[in-house]
Amino acid sequence: MTPAAGTALTAVADTNQHYDLDPEIFGLFLDPSRKYSAGRYQSPSDTLAQAQINKLRFVAERLGLRGGEQLLDVGCGWGSLLLFMAREHGCRAVGISPAGRQHEYIRARSKEIGVATRVTTLRGHFEETDLPGGSFDAVTMLGSIVHMPDLTAAFRRARTLLRRGGCLYVSESCFRNTAAHTTFHQRAGTRFVGDSIFGWGDLRPVSELVRGAEDAGFSLSSLDDLTDDYRRTIDDWLANIRANAADIERIKPGLAERLERYLEIANAGWGYTTKHYALTCRKTR
């Protein structure tokens, strides 16, 4: 790891406390599964909850899951993908997250829905977690590679962990091109999201993600534009925050306003400065 990457990783560890907030907060503005990434809206009448189920089915389809696979979810959040893949596809699912409260929540939920023997979580950062090479059929990163300072190392590590024929799914928000990245990376709104919400992060153009995957030795299977889906997801999150602001403030004073500002900044950028893509890759050799 380069010194710059090490410094950034320390910043992630020091400042990224957002995901370790009280899980009740996330239940007040996310869907019932607490999935904290773009849904997939297949009709005008889809609710947020339905859109998130659609998205998990979409991920399973892109990965080519047939049942019983060994899956690693990097940045597993509140476990929506782990629990879904374990229950619906019989996967043995392993999640990685640095946030302690997420592990407690996932452990409890896996017992509640009867998949505790198929779901495991590891506390830490992907770059530092000890995992055996060639042991997974699928690796997923939904909104997590943005927090990894060394993009090349992240893709190479994912490839090392996959068996031959295994798939990597990455969905991420990106600046729409290199010029937009250069212009807006240090703008006040971008800095607010980093300083007040997520800590270190870098919305790289999708061309950098593609290059990182190809340089790591992956073959690209698909690239999907989910920008409109994320815009609608955030609209639904904003509606929930506004409806439940008093309860959010009771748990964490000042948070409802910060969340609302973060999400408004995100929605203002879609299609103008930022996009959201899903990239699927295969380890063919």
Side-chain angles (χ1 to χ4, degrees), residues 70-72 131-139 156-166 283 285:
Q70 186 86 0
L71 179 144
L72 174 67
L131 291 164
S135 57
F136 294 96
D137 302 294
V139 175
R156 286 177 177 166
R157 183 129 201 271
R159 186 176 181 278
T160 298
L161 295 174
L162 284 166
R163 301 185 178 104
R164 181 173 293 185
K283 181 179 178 178
R285 57 180 178 82

Side-chain angles (χ1 to χ4, degrees), residues 65 68-69 71 79-94 110 113-120:
L65 299 184
E69 287 86 357
L71 179 144
S80 57
L81 187 144
L82 296 174
L83 299 169
F84 181 89
M85 299 306 179
R87 182 177 59 195
E88 300 296 324
H89 295 279
C91 292
R92 299 187 66 84
V94 179
S110 68
I113 67 174
V115 296
T117 59
R118 295 199 295 273
V119 174
T120 306

Side-chain angles (χ1 to χ4, degrees), residues 26-57:
F26 296 90
L28 291 168
F29 74 95
L30 304 180
D31 71 296
S33 74
R34 289 170 168 77
K35 183 174 172 298
Y36 203 4
S37 58
R40 189 149 176 84
Y41 292 82
Q42 297 179 331
S43 79
S45 62
D46 277 353
T47 63
L48 174 63
Q50 183 60 54
Q52 295 296 17
I53 292 171
N54 295 343
K55 175 65 173 299
L56 292 168
R57 289 173 177 163

Side-chain angles (χ1 to χ4, degrees), residues 266-282:
N267 258 6
W270 294 131
Y272 172 55
T273 58
T274 50
K275 301 280 287 182
H276 190 83
Y277 293 103
L279 175 70
T280 311
C281 318
R282 185 176 296 276

Side-chain angles (χ1 to χ4, degrees), residues 121-133:
T121 63
L122 304 171
R123 185 172 182 179
H125 294 279
F126 180 54
E127 300 91 333
E128 301 173 334
T129 307
D130 185 22
L131 291 164

